[in-house]
Amino acid sequence: MSGVVVLGGAGGIGSAVVRALLAEGRQVAVVDVAPPERVDVPWIRGDASDPATIDAAFDALGGVTGLVHCLLSEHRAPFAEQTADALRRVLDIGAVSALEPLQQLVARAEGRPCAAVLVSSIHAGLAWGGQAPYAMAKAALEALGRAAAVELGPRGLRCNVVRPGFVMVPRNAHRWQNTDTRDALTGLQPLGELAQPDDIARVVAFLLSDQARAVSGETVTVDGAMTAALPEPPAT
């Protein structure tokens, strides 16, 4: 089967995506700033916003027709204390870094069908105190994905976005490992349980597959219906 480049493949969701793709028999190359965690895939350690790093990832596999963007950055601070420099850095890592890989994917596919999945967040459509740069980057990533689907679709690209809700990854372990916080978060989920990284990875793998051959330009929310629920006012 054809190869997939996974940007941010060492993260909680990224590593689950790598496992899911390997289980399907796909070839995978990982780009991450973290030291290599696996010996069964080409692991390019470097900045995914560097074109040379992206070149190395695509060169490591023959016939790449898939791309997954799992990169993120945060600068948590009250809105009044945010700076333009911090905002630009978060945007560069969380959104701008997807441009070069998308261009490379289409160029190297040379007209063959190819697919990309950009991993966003429910923060792209909602606001949470102290997270303005992160929310802005994820919203920009989604906009970039839609533009790619429309403009590059005639050249064979399907591009979709997965928008996870709260996922039990190491980055937020301080929340789900605390019993009270975990219970509160679970209470926000109509399905009554928190998502695991593998839950997101399975959706990503589906969108990359031929089973989703007619799906493009979509944002798929995976949050257990949390953002679909309208809070009920207190009974009078």
Side-chain angles (χ1 to χ4, degrees):
M1 298 180 72
S2 58
V4 180
V5 171
V6 180
L7 309 178
I13 292 176
S15 59
V17 168
V18 171
R19 291 193 301 270
L21 294 175
L22 291 175
E24 291 184 350
R26 303 289 293 263
Q27 292 181 311
V28 178
V30 171
V31 176
D32 207 291
V33 294
E37 295 180 353
R38 309 182 63 115
V39 297
D40 54 343
V41 301
W43 191 287
I44 293 81
R45 188 180 183 188
D47 184 352
S49 64
D50 179 3
T53 302
I54 300 304
D55 282 340
F58 279 88
D59 289 343
L61 297 176
V64 175
T65 59
L67 172 72
V68 182
H69 184 283
C70 288
L71 300 175
L72 65 88
S73 178
E74 295 180 291
H75 181 74
R76 298 193 180 207
F79 195 94
E81 298 175 12
Q82 294 286 354
T83 67
D85 285 344
L87 186 63
R88 292 189 189 98
R89 178 60 179 166
V90 173
L91 279 168
D92 280 346
I93 296 173
V96 179
S97 62
L99 177 63
E100 173 79 16
L102 285 167
Q103 293 171 332
Q104 284 252 21
L105 175 64
V106 173
R108 290 180 181 245
E110 298 180 328
R112 290 174 296 157
C114 54
V117 178
L118 313 180
V119 179
S120 180
S121 166
I122 57 173
H123 283 263
L126 302 168
W128 189 7
Q131 287 281 60
Y134 178 69
M136 186 174 178
K138 290 303 187 183
L141 183 69
E142 292 189 4
L144 184 68
R146 289 190 295 272
V150 171
E151 293 191 45
L152 300 177
R155 296 178 60 185
L157 175 70
R158 291 190 302 104
C159 186
N160 292 289
V161 172
V162 172
R163 183 190 273 193
F166 187 88
V167 183
M168 297 172 64
V169 295
R171 184 170 63 92
N172 58 33
H174 64 288
R175 294 184 180 277
W176 51 265
Q177 288 179 348
N178 178 287
T179 302
D180 292 339
T181 304
R182 179 170 177 166
D183 288 345
L185 287 166
T186 303
L188 297 173
Q189 309 284 330
L191 287 182
E193 58 181 316
L194 300 180
Q196 301 283 345
D198 289 341
D199 295 319
I200 312 303
R202 283 190 287 269
V203 177
V204 172
F206 165 73
L207 290 172
L208 288 174
S209 74
D210 289 341
Q211 296 179 47
R213 61 183 299 272
V215 182
S216 189
E218 295 299 318
T219 296
V220 181
T221 301
V222 188
D223 71 347
M226 183 177 73
T227 56
L230 180 66
E232 296 184 27
T236 57

